[in-house]
Amino acid sequence: MTQYAVLIYSPAPADPMDLTPDYIALLDRYPAQVAELGGQIVTGFALQPSTTATAVRGDLVTDGPFIEAKEVVAGFFVLEAPDLDTAVRIAKLNPATIHGGVEVRPLFEPPAE
């Protein structure tokens, strides 16, 4: 199956310690929904709040996110799915779409030599 990165966007600062019990319950149900559609979560990670970010541009290093934004990357996971359409259907079920959003992007596979 093809692998996709699913990037999770949430309102800044996207502190994972601020998740409500209702939201956590939705997250707990998500893997079963993924499996029902023929996908599998390979691995996933939540990020620390955007206030802990360090941005690097050439020699310039600054505290805080790369750009100021209302929504920031809160985490990501790798999804295996039969095709992009299935990956998008799975992404639409992610609880992050309630107050933020998700981005689905195929992982790069180098061309065969």
Side-chain angles (χ1 to χ4, degrees), residues 76-93:
F76 64 94
F77 62 93
V78 176
L79 170 70
E80 285 187 343
D83 53 47
L84 180 60
D85 290 338
T86 302
V88 169
R89 283 197 306 278
I90 289 170
K92 285 181 177 181
L93 296 174

Side-chain angles (χ1 to χ4, degrees), residues 98-110:
I98 296 169
H99 298 294
V102 299
E103 178 180 334
V104 178
R105 193 182 303 182
L107 295 185
F108 176 73
E109 291 185 36

Side-chain angles (χ1 to χ4, degrees), residues 6-16 18 23 45-53 64-76 96-97 99-103:
V6 181
L7 307 173
I8 307 297
Y9 292 89
S10 295
D15 188 338
D18 291 340
Y23 190 86
F45 300 93
L47 301 176
Q48 292 287 338
S50 61
T51 53
T52 67
F66 192 67
I67 58 169
E68 293 295 324
K70 291 181 181 180
E71 290 183 347
V72 295
V73 178
F76 64 94
T97 61
H99 298 294
V102 299
E103 178 180 334

Side-chain angles (χ1 to χ4, degrees), residues 53-74:
T54 301
V56 180
R57 284 189 169 189
D59 290 334
L60 179 64
V61 178
T62 59
D63 291 336
F66 192 67
I67 58 169
E68 293 295 324
K70 291 181 181 180
E71 290 183 347
V72 295
V73 178

